[in-house]
Amino acid sequence: MNYIEGLNTEEKVTLCSIITGKRFKALFLKNESKCLKLNIIRNGFRVASLTNQETLLAAIDNIKEAFILTYCNKTIGAMLKAIQKSVDDSKKKGNTDSDALAIALESSDFANPLSLNNISLYFKLIGKDSTVESYLQIYKKIEHIRGQRIKRLENEKNHLLLQIEEFDQKIDDMESEYESKIKRLEQDKNELSLHVVSLKKKLHDLESIPSPLSNEDEAYLKSFDDTDNSVLPSMRSDQFTSLCSVVTQKGQTMLTRHADLNHNGYYEIFHQKDDAPKRSYNRDKLYYKDGPSIDGVYGVWNWSSIPNRNDPSREFIDSEYSKTLFPIEIVVLQELSSLDDLADALKKGIKYLAHSNKMILSISRGKGCYVGFLCNLYNKKECSYDNNTITASVDCNVLPVYKYTDNDILHLNNGILFYRKAFAGVPNQIYHMKTPMEIVRHLVISSISWQNYKIRGDIVRNDYRKFKDFLSTIPVDDIIPKIQIECNYTKPTAKKIMNDFMNAVQKYVDGISLTDEIVQSAISTNSAFKEKAKDMIRLDWEKENKSLLDDAQNKLEGLKDEYMSMAEYLNAEKKAFDKIKEEEKYLEKSIAEKEKLAEDVEYAVSERIKNAQKNVAEFIANMAFVTGTEINIQSDIAERQAPVEIGSEQHKYSVVAGSTTLDDLEAHHCWTDAMDTVVSEIGEAGVAEEYQNGLAAFLCAAYIHRQPLLLIGPNAIDIVRAFSAAISADKTHGILYCEGDYCRRDIENIGDNGEDIVLINNVIMGGWINRLPEILFSKDILFIATHPYPEDIQVEPKSLYTFMLPVFTEIFVDEKANGKYYGGYFDSDFKEYVYTEHPEKRKRYISKSSLAILTKNQIHKLVNTMYDIYPDMTEDDEFLFTVLPIFYASMKIDEIRDMINDSGDSIKISANLKRTIQNILGDI
């Protein structure tokens, strides 16, 4: 029925007021798309942001719209039906018609507010004509009913007041009882007064000890504030900023939208509306473009929708990962009850699958209150995250403490909790993870670096490590400014801590520790200090031990006779020794003859291989008829490099876990630091000193561009191990054993553990070489293959070297590797390398060579980078590591010979390097 049709404008306004703006707002929320389309609400506004009064006015202005008109008729019809039912029920109870109508209208929307206009409108809607007197009669009856109700409520109020008086009397009685108890407690208080005096003295003593949980000054607390309002979304922006998680659907990486960040810095849970198109603001899935790609990881993405002009039912989504906003995950550890327990657990490691790089590790204080530490997992100096374990870093001195309640928690549908605010803000307190003495000791140790220590000249790396281990147990050096910064102390307080520290040093360094070989090594670096120490010790000792010296002189005289007899004994032993030396010379001569025979055999084999290279068919035919004893060289290597077995199945790929502590590793702040560590470690791997800098620059350049390499010759595996440790000893490294049949499943596992360097053994064996494109598929990993014999390389396909650049170790290895590598890691402030093109470094003889274009470009890029990170690089280094290996492996030695002899494009290498190459490859 159309109730609206017969009403005038004023009656329509009255009718809409009876329905109320609240009901119209619910209607508009369900039909928001229609409201936007019909311009019922202005563009840029949402129904949820309108007040009830604004919604009511919008409904009155647009009452002729079909969905509003239909809703009004249905709502009024339901109201009239409910009133009629109430009238019928009231009549059954014996009320007259007018009384029953008054009772029904009093509890209906037509009496809220009560007015004659509302009553007259009711009669018009039900189609009954009536007089003003009848309206007034109904009005008075409704007022009477409400008066009776008010009177009833007042009676109930009076009854409650009487109950309150009774309770007050009971309270007075209880107060009297408690007063007597208080008197007894006063007596107990007097008895405890003496105990309080002693406790005050203890408190005074404890005040000098810094508390792990302290209320710092306001300026210091503000230094931990992570708020950056400049990255919050703008009010007028069409772009959304949403909390999303990464999910893979049907092989495609997508983003699931969980909450939106508003311009005030608060996250609001996203609810998708079922009655609106799942596009634009109502979209719960976004297309992934950048950012973390691991399933289950949460982050913040800025995104916007762009209409598709060709198909209005579709749209384009442009998303960008925010590198400045990290959602704060809430983790409540119910098994812990105090911040001290939480700090101890964090030092040992807390097992938890983190969903964000930023979190508050918390404990519950009851009644919806929590307190915890803010941890940044992307800051290695604060916390580390490895194998689903969160651990406080050894560099972590303090952590900010935040208090929050249930109202500050954002509950996602999957049970994961996040902080409702984008930023944690200023902390409530600061928790000290270390005592001041521990901080001082750590500052001393961290200030020691190999680069500064090796300037002393006489100290070798092994002495340096021993000396550093020694210093890790005692405090040294004057570092008061650092103590002020790390502990937030005033200068006098920092000086007091330092004095206490130095007193500990004096007690620790006694006569026994001074005899330690490490201290002796340190003293020996300063000759003046050494001589002064000798004189002081000698004079003091002679004065204190004069009687002992006299006794020793007497004993010395007696020992002279023993010396004469020992001299005769030594003469007899010398004769025996001379005889043994003659036998040794005979054996050396025999060994030399056998070594000469071995060289002749090796030369003959080499010549035969060279001939075979000229005629491959003849070489294969000859090898088919070779007989004799089989020399199983590979069996020994295979036995030593056997893959890890799991059950009955052998796996060709395994990983080596990185170091879990950074204390013993060198921190790299730039590529110069990394170069120093690589030079030191490859020296331990047997690389000759004159080639260490050049090889280090070459390997670092290959790492930067992830250029695969093939190391051929002695110590190849050790050089890879040393380089891996030097670059990133804190990361996992992989080892691929190319033995037996090719295994695709093992290849697919490469990179799953975050490894950035993978060693490949025996890549040219069997059918593995044909699988190189699949093995080298990952562009984020440096692959370094190894092979022991240079002669085998020239038999392989030449196109192999478009995948991997060869390097021959025989030229620059001069001793066996010791196998002990310490390594380094990239610190959080490490300066990334930015590639720069240097046209003047491009060699004409490389461009004119017959090498593949890809190989030429790879060599040129490595050479550019080598000069950038090692400006002192020589042309010997460039030739030895980037030119000679590829030309030799590609059987293009004649081209090198022509380049060296060509006056126009001559290769400038030193005479010393030329002699070294001639000793190995022959005359060039």
Side-chain angles (χ1 to χ4, degrees):
M1 183 174 179
N2 191 346
Y3 296 99
I4 309 298
E5 187 176 20
L7 301 181
N8 58 37
T9 302
E10 183 179 354
E11 290 170 337
K12 291 178 182 178
V13 172
T14 302
L15 181 68
C16 290
S17 299
I18 292 172
I19 296 175
T20 71
K22 183 177 180 180
R23 289 193 178 102
F24 282 118
K25 187 171 184 179
L27 171 67
F28 287 3
L29 283 171
K30 291 182 180 179
N31 297 272
E32 189 165 15
S33 60
K34 291 181 180 179
C35 292
L36 291 171
K37 185 176 180 181
L38 298 172
N39 293 322
I40 295 175
I41 58 175
R42 287 178 291 170
N43 289 335
F45 285 82
R46 294 186 178 180
V47 173
S49 63
L50 298 177
T51 64
N52 290 340
Q53 183 62 28
E54 290 173 339
T55 310
L56 176 61
L57 294 175
I60 293 171
D61 293 339
N62 297 275
I63 194 170
K64 294 181 180 181
E65 296 298 339
F67 77 99
I68 298 177
L69 186 64
T70 301
Y71 177 78
C72 290
N73 286 323
K74 286 183 178 180
T75 303
I76 292 300
M79 289 181 180
L80 296 178
K81 186 177 180 180
I83 292 172
Q84 186 60 44
K85 183 177 183 304
S86 177
V87 169
D88 295 338
D89 293 340
S90 186
K91 286 180 180 180
K92 292 178 181 178
K93 295 179 182 179
N95 293 311
T96 63
D97 290 346
S98 60
D99 290 340
L101 179 59
I103 293 171
L105 286 175
E106 191 277 334
S107 59
S108 71
D109 290 299
F110 283 83
N112 187 23
L114 180 61
S115 68
L116 290 175
N117 288 336
N118 289 3
I119 296 173
S120 64
L121 179 62
Y122 167 76
F123 281 100
K124 185 173 184 178
L125 291 173
I126 62 175
K128 289 184 179 181
D129 294 330
S130 186
T131 63
V132 176
E133 289 77 12
S134 61
Y135 297 157
L136 187 60
Q137 182 183 8
I138 296 295
Y139 181 90
K140 290 181 178 180
K141 285 188 176 183
I142 293 174
E143 278 191 329
H144 177 71
I145 293 171
R146 287 189 173 177
Q148 292 294 325
R149 180 181 296 169
I150 292 171
K151 186 175 181 179
R152 186 171 62 254
L153 291 173
E154 286 180 347
N155 291 334
E156 291 177 359
K157 174 185 175 183
N158 293 332
H159 178 69
L160 291 172
L161 289 174
L162 291 174
Q163 287 183 332
I164 291 172
E165 289 179 358
E166 293 175 1
F167 284 126
D168 287 339
Q169 184 60 43
K170 291 181 180 180
I171 290 172
D172 291 338
D173 296 338
M174 293 176 68
E175 284 180 348
S176 300
E177 181 181 355
Y178 284 131
E179 283 179 359
S180 61
K181 290 183 178 180
I182 289 171
K183 290 181 180 179
R184 291 196 300 269
L185 291 173
E186 287 289 342
Q187 295 175 357
D188 295 338
K189 175 184 176 182
N190 294 331
E191 293 175 359
L192 291 172
S193 60
L194 294 175
H195 184 57
V196 170
V197 173
S198 63
L199 290 178
K200 285 183 177 179
K201 186 178 182 302
K202 291 182 179 179
L203 178 63
H204 181 269
D205 295 336
L206 291 173
E207 283 178 347
S208 60
I209 303 175
S211 170
L213 187 62
S214 58
N215 292 307
E216 308 287 351
D217 60 89
E218 184 177 356
Y220 184 60
L221 290 174
K222 284 184 177 180
S223 66
F224 291 86
D225 189 359
D226 64 342
T227 304
D228 183 4
N229 292 326
S230 64
V231 301
L232 293 177
S234 171
M235 286 182 62
R236 300 178 180 178
S237 175
D238 293 334
Q239 190 178 61
F240 291 87
T241 300
S242 302
L243 169 64
C244 304
S245 62
V246 180
V247 62
T248 302
Q249 294 181 343
K250 298 180 181 179
Q252 183 179 6
T253 303
M254 300 287 290
L255 300 175
T256 298
R257 178 183 175 193
H258 297 282
D260 295 332
L261 182 64
N262 63 29
H263 66 278
N264 292 321
Y266 286 83
Y267 289 103
E268 298 176 349
I269 292 292
F270 168 71
H271 297 287
Q272 191 176 52
K273 296 179 176 59
D274 296 334
D275 60 344
K278 296 181 179 179
R279 301 197 308 272
S280 186
Y281 68 89
N282 199 35
R283 171 182 291 274
D284 66 338
K285 289 289 188 296
L286 307 175
Y287 294 108
Y288 172 85
K289 181 180 178 182
D290 62 350
S293 59
I294 302 175
D295 278 12
V297 172
Y298 285 71
V300 176
W301 275 263
N302 299 315
W303 63 278
S304 59
S305 61
I306 303 172
N308 189 330
R309 296 180 179 179
N310 298 326
D311 185 357
S313 65
R314 304 181 66 183
E315 61 186 356
F316 300 104
I317 298 298
D318 183 21
S319 66
E320 181 182 7
Y321 175 69
S322 174
K323 297 180 180 179
T324 54
L325 282 170
F326 298 97
I328 305 173
E329 185 177 2
I330 296 293
V331 181
V332 181
L333 303 171
Q334 300 291 353
E335 68 274 14
L336 303 180
S337 58
S338 69
L339 286 178
D340 291 338
D341 294 341
L342 182 59
D344 291 340
L346 189 58
K347 291 175 183 177
K348 297 175 183 177
I350 297 174
K351 279 283 186 181
Y352 181 74
L353 178 60
H355 301 91
S356 176
N357 282 334
K358 196 172 183 181
M359 61 175 57
I360 299 180
L361 296 174
S362 316
I363 58 172
S364 174
R365 286 290 174 86
K367 297 182 180 180
C369 296
Y370 307 90
V371 64
F373 301 142
L374 178 64
C375 299
N376 297 298
L377 303 187
Y378 53 82
N379 186 353
K380 288 188 177 180
K381 290 187 177 180
E382 189 171 301
C383 290
S384 63
Y385 181 68
D386 189 26
N387 293 327
N388 296 337
T389 302
I390 307 166
T391 309
S393 170
V394 294
D395 295 321
C396 181
N397 297 329
V398 296
L399 283 176
V401 177
Y402 291 86
K403 298 177 182 178
Y404 61 96
T405 65
D406 283 332
N407 294 332
D408 298 316
I409 300 177
L410 190 74
H411 296 263
L412 302 188
N413 295 332
N414 54 12
I416 299 175
L417 309 179
F418 282 93
Y419 199 52
R420 188 173 294 277
K421 303 175 185 176
F423 306 105
V426 179
N428 300 100
Q429 293 171 307
I430 301 299
Y431 189 93
H432 293 262
M433 299 291 285
K434 297 178 183 176
T435 65
M437 297 293 276
E438 289 174 332
I439 294 175
V440 173
R441 184 178 64 189
H442 183 72
L443 289 173
V444 172
I445 295 172
S446 62
S447 65
I448 301 171
S449 67
W450 171 241
Q451 285 74 21
N452 294 329
Y453 198 74
K454 68 182 180 180
I455 297 174
R456 302 295 297 271
D458 298 359
I459 305 301
V460 297
R461 189 177 182 85
N462 193 39
D463 289 334
Y464 153 72
R465 293 193 179 278
K466 290 181 180 179
F467 192 49
K468 188 171 182 179
D469 292 340
F470 175 77
L471 289 177
S472 67
T473 61
I474 63 172
V476 293
D477 208 1
D478 181 4
I479 50 173
I480 291 175
K482 292 184 179 179
I483 297 174
Q484 289 181 256
I485 295 173
E486 294 294 335
C487 300
N488 191 32
Y489 286 163
T490 61
K491 191 170 184 178
T493 306
K495 284 185 176 180
K496 182 181 182 303
I497 293 294
M498 193 64 205
N499 290 335
D500 295 342
F501 193 75
M502 295 308 296
N503 290 335
V505 172
Q506 293 173 3
K507 292 179 181 179
Y508 186 88
V509 183
D510 54 19
I512 298 175
S513 64
L514 287 174
T515 61
D516 191 277
E517 63 179 19
I518 300 166
V519 179
Q520 292 176 4
S521 176
I523 293 174
S524 66
T525 61
N526 190 318
S527 58
F529 177 69
K530 178 171 62 178
E531 294 301 323
K532 184 177 181 180
K534 286 180 180 179
D535 291 340
M536 292 174 62
I537 294 171
R538 178 177 56 79
L539 293 173
D540 289 344
W541 190 84
E542 286 178 354
K543 289 179 182 179
E544 295 174 0
N545 300 279
K546 188 175 185 304
S547 59
L548 292 175
L549 286 172
D550 293 339
D551 292 341
Q553 185 64 34
N554 295 332
K555 291 181 180 180
L556 181 61
E557 296 295 334
L559 289 173
K560 288 183 178 179
D561 294 335
E562 295 183 18
Y563 169 77
M564 297 302 296
S565 61
M566 289 299 297
E568 294 177 358
Y569 173 77
L570 287 174
N571 287 332
E573 291 293 321
K574 186 176 183 305
K575 292 180 181 179
F577 176 77
D578 292 339
K579 185 177 180 181
I580 293 173
K581 288 290 290 183
E582 291 178 0
E583 294 177 356
E584 183 181 357
K585 289 180 180 179
Y586 172 78
L587 292 174
E588 286 178 351
K589 182 179 179 182
S590 177
I591 292 170
E593 292 175 353
K594 292 181 179 180
E595 286 179 347
K596 181 63 169 62
L597 177 61
E599 289 178 0
D600 293 341
V601 172
E602 183 178 359
Y603 176 78
V605 172
S606 177
E607 288 298 315
R608 184 164 184 179
I609 290 175
K610 289 180 179 178
N611 293 333
Q613 290 169 350
K614 296 177 181 178
N615 190 338
V616 177
E618 180 183 353
F619 173 75
I620 295 173
N622 288 340
M623 291 301 293
F625 293 98
V626 170
T627 60
T629 305
E630 180 181 1
I631 303 174
N632 191 356
I633 296 172
Q634 293 297 330
S635 61
D636 179 61
I637 296 175
E639 182 179 352
R640 289 187 283 110
Q641 300 176 350
V644 179
E645 292 188 4
I646 302 176
S648 60
E649 182 181 2
Q650 283 193 335
H651 290 260
K652 307 293 192 298
Y653 184 70
S654 61
V655 294
V656 179
S659 175
T660 57
T661 175
L662 305 181
D663 286 350
D664 294 331
L665 306 181
E666 295 296 333
H668 302 152
H669 306 286
C670 60
W671 274 107
T672 301
D673 295 342
M675 277 279 298
D676 286 343
T677 307
V678 174
V679 167
S680 176
E681 300 298 1
I682 62 177
E684 303 293 337
V687 176
E689 184 176 357
E690 60 267 31
Y691 300 116
Q692 289 174 5
N693 285 310
L695 179 59
F698 177 74
L699 294 176
C700 288
Y703 178 84
I704 290 172
H705 297 292
R706 300 301 194 268
Q707 170 59 49
L709 302 177
L710 174 59
L711 266 61
I712 308 115
N715 293 18
I717 294 177
D718 272 284
I719 291 173
V720 179
R721 289 178 56 204
F723 176 70
S724 301
I727 285 292
S728 53
D730 58 329
K731 291 186 177 181
T732 300
H733 301 124
I735 304 176
L736 177 63
Y737 302 93
C738 301
E739 299 171 353
D741 296 333
Y742 174 78
C743 181
R744 181 186 298 274
R745 184 176 60 185
D746 285 333
I747 300 304
E748 292 173 349
N749 292 335
I750 295 177
D752 287 350
N753 296 280
E755 53 270 35
D756 59 354
I757 299 178
V758 172
L759 167 64
I760 307 176
N761 278 333
N762 303 328
V763 69
I764 66 174
M765 299 300 293
W768 290 81
I769 192 172
N770 296 328
R771 300 287 189 166
L772 265 184
E774 299 174 40
I775 297 174
L776 306 180
F777 178 75
S778 177
K779 306 305 179 187
D780 296 327
I781 297 176
L782 172 61
F783 294 91
I784 307 180
T786 63
H787 191 73
Y789 309 118
E791 293 83 3
D792 294 346
I793 300 305
Q794 291 185 329
V795 182
E796 297 302 324
K798 296 179 182 179
S799 55
L800 167 66
Y801 310 116
T802 59
F803 294 97
M804 313 181 82
L805 293 180
V807 180
F808 295 95
T809 65
E810 186 175 358
I811 296 176
F812 50 77
V813 168
D814 65 350
E815 61 182 17
K816 290 184 178 180
N818 64 22
K820 296 179 181 179
Y821 313 114
Y822 295 93
Y825 68 97
F826 293 110
D827 205 353
S828 58
D829 60 351
F830 179 80
K831 297 179 181 177
E832 295 291 344
Y833 170 77
V834 178
Y835 178 73
T836 304
E837 183 73 20
H838 299 290
E840 71 278 5
K841 300 297 183 184
R842 187 181 292 272
K843 302 300 183 184
R844 289 183 60 190
Y845 56 79
I846 293 292
S847 301
K848 292 171 60 177
S849 70
S850 59
L851 297 174
I853 296 176
L854 176 61
T855 304
K856 294 177 184 178
N857 290 335
Q858 289 170 342
I859 293 174
H860 176 62
K861 184 175 289 187
L862 291 182
V863 171
N864 261 343
T865 305
M866 290 169 69
Y867 276 106
D868 279 344
I869 64 178
Y870 179 49
D872 295 332
M873 191 178 76
T874 65
E875 293 207 8
D876 279 7
D877 296 326
E878 179 181 348
F879 176 78
L880 181 60
F881 299 111
T882 64
V883 179
L884 177 63
I886 185 64
F887 278 88
Y888 176 80
S890 304
M891 300 178 65
K892 300 180 185 298
I893 292 297
D894 290 341
E895 289 191 31
I896 290 184
R897 185 182 295 110
D898 294 340
M899 293 174 190
I900 292 175
N901 297 329
D902 186 351
S903 59
D905 293 319
S906 61
I907 298 176
K908 299 176 183 179
I909 61 174
S910 66
N912 184 43
L913 178 60
K914 189 171 183 180
R915 283 194 298 271
T916 301
I917 297 172
Q918 287 174 339
N919 291 337
I920 298 173
L921 303 179
D923 188 13
I924 61 171

